[in-house]
Amino acid sequence: MGQAGQQRSGQKTFGKTKKSVKKVKSEKANSTALKKNISAGTVLILLAGRFRGRRVVFLKQLESGLLLVTGPYAVNGVPLRRVNQRYCIATSTKVDLKGNGYASVTDAYFARAAAKKDKKSEGAFFNAEAAKSEMPQEKKDGQKKMDADLVKALGADMKSYLKARFSLTANMYPHELKF
C-alpha cells in the first residue's frame, strides 16, 4: 500500500552529510561616520549618563567611533569623557580650539588598570570596605593642562552658557526647538 503525502526516506544515512558552507565576511574597522553638524569645537548637550543635561565641548572623534568631549572641568565639572554620538544633541554654538593638546588622548587613555583578584577569607569579606578607585594624579594634571587653553578662550557669557544645564519645561517641544 502506498503512503499519502510527503514521507522521509526509509533509509538512514550515517556519516557526513552535505551542508551549505557560508563564507564569513571579514569586517573592516570602519569608523563610525560623524554627524554632519558635529565638528571640533561644537557645543553638545549630553542626553544620558551621569552628566545628562550638561553642555560640553566636542574635541575629536576617537578610533572606536566615540566622541571625546570635555566640560571643561573647571567650568562645569565634566571631565574628559568618551560619549556615543547617539546620546548627544549638537548645537549651533562653536568654541575656538586653539591649542590642540588632545592628540595624545586615545581609547587606551580610558582603559582601566586590571585589578588582581585575591581570595578573601570570611573575616576579610565582611570587614573589607570597597576601595574607591580614584583618578590618578597624572590624569588630573593632564586634564587641567589640556583644558587651560580652552578655558582662557571662553568668554564670561560662554562660561555661564556651559554651566547652565539643559532641561525641558512645560510647553517646550523638542521637535520644535532649534539647537
Side-chain angles (χ1 to χ4, degrees), residues 99-160:
N100 194 358
Y102 303 102
S104 62
V105 180
T106 60
D107 285 312
Y109 177 85
F110 296 97
R112 295 185 180 190
K116 187 177 179 183
K117 297 204 175 195
D118 297 327
K119 295 270 185 181
K120 290 186 178 179
S121 65
E122 187 176 332
F125 180 78
F126 291 109
N127 294 335
E129 292 181 14
K132 291 204 173 190
S133 59
E134 291 194 17
M135 201 170 188
Q137 189 61 36
E138 60 187 36
K139 284 195 178 182
K140 289 180 183 177
D141 295 339
Q143 171 86 46
K144 288 178 185 175
K145 190 179 80 174
M146 287 186 229
D147 284 350
D149 295 332
L150 182 58
V151 172
K152 287 178 188 171
L154 296 175
D157 57 339
M158 183 58 74
K159 284 183 184 177
S160 62

Side-chain angles (χ1 to χ4, degrees), residues 8-84:
R8 284 188 166 175
S9 168
Q11 298 174 346
K12 296 271 186 186
T13 56
F14 297 103
K16 293 185 179 179
T17 58
K18 289 185 181 180
K19 291 186 179 179
S20 61
V21 178
K22 291 185 179 180
K23 291 185 179 179
V24 178
K25 292 182 181 179
S26 60
E27 293 185 26
K28 294 180 182 176
N30 291 338
S31 62
T32 309
L34 196 60
K35 287 183 182 177
K36 66 178 189 295
N37 53 356
I38 298 178
S39 61
T42 303
V43 175
L44 307 175
I45 299 170
L46 300 182
L47 299 176
R50 180 176 169 207
F51 297 103
R52 65 184 160 273
R54 295 276 184 204
R55 294 181 172 100
V56 295
V57 179
F58 169 70
L59 304 173
K60 68 175 188 174
Q61 187 175 25
L62 299 170
E63 294 168 13
S64 63
L66 297 175
L67 309 180
L68 180 67
V69 298
T70 185
Y73 187 78
V75 175
N76 62 5
V78 181
L80 276 175
R81 285 181 69 86
R82 293 182 297 179
V83 178
N84 190 330

Side-chain angles (χ1 to χ4, degrees), residues 1-5 7:
M1 304 267 300
Q3 294 285 332
Q7 182 177 352

